């Protein structure tokens, strides 16, 4: 959870998609990804991430996070799907690292 909260804080400070789109390589990568995946699938994935963000922002935990961290709801709704997407993409890398850290801490 600390990993995701750190990712959310970084995404809140610097939203990843506009940051990626501001570079030439990022624009090329985003265009290639849309071409390979297809616009219909991208739209469905975007809608799914937006729904998950909305569910979280309206949940008790989301409301508490907004109050305690003084987060703007509109900005949270913008960056939350992006942080969820990055978390899901990085999961195959993060899980083994997390397991290694946990086993090293237990020894």
């Amino acid at each position: 959870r600390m990993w995701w909260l750190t990712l959310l804080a970084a995404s809140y400070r610097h939203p990843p998609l506009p940051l990626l789109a501001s570079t030439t390589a990022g624009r090329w990568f985003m265009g290639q990804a849309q071409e390979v995946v297809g616009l219909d699938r991208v739209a469905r994935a975007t809608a799914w991430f937006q729904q998950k963000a909305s569910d979280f922002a309206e949940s008790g935990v989301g409301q508490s996070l907004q109050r305690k961290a003084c987060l703007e709801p509109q900005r949270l709704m913008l960056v939350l799907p992006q942080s969820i997407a990055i978390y899901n993409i990085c999961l195959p890398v993060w899980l083994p690292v997390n397991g290694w850290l946990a086993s090293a801490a237990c020894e």
Side-chain angles (χ1 to χ4, degrees):
R1 291 189 179 155
M2 288 302 295
W3 154 242
W4 183 75
L5 287 174
T6 303
L7 180 62
L8 179 61
S11 296
Y12 190 82
R13 188 170 188 129
H14 302 286
L17 279 181
L19 200 62
L20 183 64
S22 69
T23 66
T24 304
R27 284 191 297 278
W28 177 84
F29 177 75
M30 290 171 65
Q32 290 296 108
Q34 285 182 351
E35 195 173 299
V36 168
V37 174
L39 289 177
D40 185 46
R41 291 177 77 188
V42 170
R44 283 197 320 262
T46 302
W48 182 82
F49 284 122
Q50 193 64 38
Q51 182 59 46
K52 293 297 175 191
S54 176
D55 292 347
F56 176 77
E58 293 172 359
S59 72
V61 174
Q63 294 288 327
S64 177
L65 178 66
Q66 290 174 47
R67 268 192 319 276
K68 290 180 181 177
C70 300
L71 302 177
E72 300 171 17
Q74 294 82 11
R75 186 169 174 90
L76 181 63
M77 288 296 293
L78 170 73
V79 300
L80 196 55
Q82 296 174 35
S83 68
I84 293 170
I86 292 172
Y87 181 83
N88 288 342
I89 289 169
C90 294
L91 208 53
V93 173
W94 174 246
L95 280 178
V97 171
N98 192 32
W100 178 76
L101 290 172
S103 69
C106 290
E107 290 179 357

